[in-house]
Amino acid sequence: MQLHRRNQHPIGILKNAIYDYFDTNYANKFDKFDDLSPIVSVKENFDDVLVPPDHVSRSYNDTYYIDPQTVLRCHTSAHQAELLSKGYKHFLVTGDVYRRDSIDSTHYPVFHQMEGVRVFRPIDWESSGKDGTTYAAEDLKKCLEGLARHLFGAVEMRWIDTYFPFTDPSFELEIYFKEKWLEVLGCGVTEQEILNRSGNADDVAWAFGLGLERLAMVLFDIPDIRLFWSSDERFTSQFSGGQLGMKFKPFSKYPPCYKDMSFWISESFTENNLCEVIRGVAGDLVEEVTLIDNFTNKKGMTSHCYRITYRSMERSLTDEEINDLQWNVREQVESKLNVVLR
Ligand code: DAH
């Protein structure tokens, strides 16, 4: 659906606002990519950015595999190595990314990220008296603090040390927003191995990756991630190109409908698989899936009870419709997940 390429859509408006920041501060420096295919190789998505062979993100439970060598990219970092090899030194990559996950108001199996990379040559840092890594880390922090101020105004920020396979050192930027610290992006100084392999052995680089829905939900006051996919005019008409400050006015909240289901799980059971099946039947009518009870009996059998919340963003649902869905969900869960309904 290319939400990130629609200038009147919150995701596109946010992408353009970030472009503006880079255009203002680094005129004509950053190359922009927003239509690279989301179908990438396992090599591009994981190996090329040094994700270890046993990392959880590689599992079939977390990533959508098309075949054993091909995935739907789970992050825009999948394009770093290729663009570096092609000789790009400053670039932004925006695109849809895909992850298997649980279901709630902030998680959806497809969302959008923007990746930024900047390469420095020795001549850039040599006269500073700093080593390349220190120089890049300082430049990175300055750049991203400026971006956060461009988007959020004068906010309080803090840097958290963290780990990513593709950067060292690695950081997260958090901003203080509505009485909470909110993680807005991950970043760091690119692992030298990535530069060595892409023909940039003498250089250093920084990189960052940010989630556009996460930021847009905060900036536009959008309460549920499913709304981004709505074609309801009451949603789409509230945003206009170039306007970052608009606050979304919920058009109405339709009543939720709760259904519980309990089953004995098997060893292979995972919540992500359950959510995939439920989403497959009920689509965007599922608002949340929560584990509300969990016990193991004397025979060692484990039972889970999940509460499914159904709610449409656009209309009232009928009992009949939900009952049909729920029967369908029960049938599919039992036949696809190797569990025994109770
Ligand atoms: N790929 C990371 C993710 O999806 C985000 C990220 C972190 C990208 C650090 C970067 C980086 O380029 O340097 O969670």
Side-chain angles (χ1 to χ4, degrees), residues 60 73 78 92-93 97 99 107 119 121 139 167 178 184 239 245 265 278 295 297 319 341:
Y60 280 64
R73 67 185 164 211
L92 302 171
V93 181
V97 300
R99 290 187 197 174
H107 290 90
V119 178
R121 318 263 13 234
D139 186 83
T167 46
K178 295 203 174 145
V184 296
F239 308 97
I265 63 166
I278 297 173
F295 70 89
N297 71 7
D319 275 344
L341 296 180

Side-chain angles (χ1 to χ4, degrees), residues 119-128 130-132 135 200-204:
V119 178
F120 297 95
R121 318 263 13 234
I123 187 173
D124 296 322
W125 72 81
E126 271 165 6
S127 61
S128 71
K130 292 167 192 154
D131 64 276
Y135 183 87
N200 296 277
D202 298 333
D203 305 338
V204 300

Side-chain angles (χ1 to χ4, degrees), residues 122-292:
I123 187 173
D124 296 322
W125 72 81
E126 271 165 6
S127 61
S128 71
K130 292 167 192 154
D131 64 276
T133 302
T134 309
Y135 183 87
E138 285 180 11
D139 186 83
L140 170 68
K141 288 183 170 178
K142 217 172 57 206
C143 170
L144 293 174
E145 286 169 10
L147 174 62
R149 269 194 299 274
H150 176 72
L151 299 176
F152 289 94
V155 284
E156 224 187 309
M157 302 179 218
R158 68 181 184 192
W159 289 100
I160 311 286
D161 290 318
T162 185
Y163 164 81
F164 296 110
F166 20 90
T167 46
D168 186 24
S170 306
F171 315 101
E172 275 164 6
L173 177 61
E174 296 189 340
I175 63 165
Y176 198 68
F177 194 82
K178 295 203 174 145
E179 328 217 309
K180 271 207 213 108
W181 285 103
L182 177 82
E183 181 199 324
V184 296
L185 55 83
C187 66
V189 177
T190 304
E191 280 285 357
Q192 201 57 43
E193 181 64 17
I194 297 176
L195 294 173
N196 295 350
R197 289 188 198 171
S198 60
N200 296 277
D202 298 333
D203 305 338
V204 300
W206 57 237
F208 69 84
L210 55 83
L212 294 175
E213 275 80 355
R214 165 48 90 71
L215 293 178
M217 287 179 84
V218 171
L219 288 164
F220 296 97
D221 264 352
I222 295 172
D224 190 298
I225 195 166
R226 289 174 294 166
L227 282 162
F228 290 111
W229 300 90
S230 172
S231 49
D232 191 315
E233 254 204 34
R234 290 170 296 174
F235 177 78
T236 55
S237 67
Q238 291 196 33
F239 308 97
S240 33
Q243 305 229 14
L244 200 58
M246 334 260 301
K247 297 297 173 200
F248 172 66
K249 290 177 218 60
F251 28 95
S252 78
K253 211 159 174 183
Y254 297 93
C257 173
Y258 305 102
K259 296 282 176 193
D260 294 351
M261 65 186 301
S262 300
F263 44 80
W264 300 107
I265 63 166
S266 65
E267 267 194 9
S268 61
F269 175 81
T270 69
E271 194 169 306
N272 286 0
N273 286 343
L274 173 70
C275 287
E276 191 72 20
V277 170
I278 297 173
R279 188 93 78 181
V281 174
D284 282 8
L285 298 181
V286 205
E287 178 166 283
E288 189 161 1
V289 175
T290 0
L291 180 63
I292 56 171

Side-chain angles (χ1 to χ4, degrees), residues 92-133:
L92 302 171
V93 181
T94 313
D96 37 337
V97 300
Y98 298 78
R99 290 187 197 174
R100 302 178 91 246
D101 214 327
S102 44
I103 298 180
D104 64 30
S105 65
T106 61
H107 290 90
Y108 200 79
V110 43
F111 59 102
H112 297 80
Q113 286 189 330
M114 188 187 296
E115 192 86 5
V117 174
R118 177 173 190 187
V119 178
F120 297 95
R121 318 263 13 234
I123 187 173
D124 296 322
W125 72 81
E126 271 165 6
S127 61
S128 71
K130 292 167 192 154
D131 64 276
T133 302

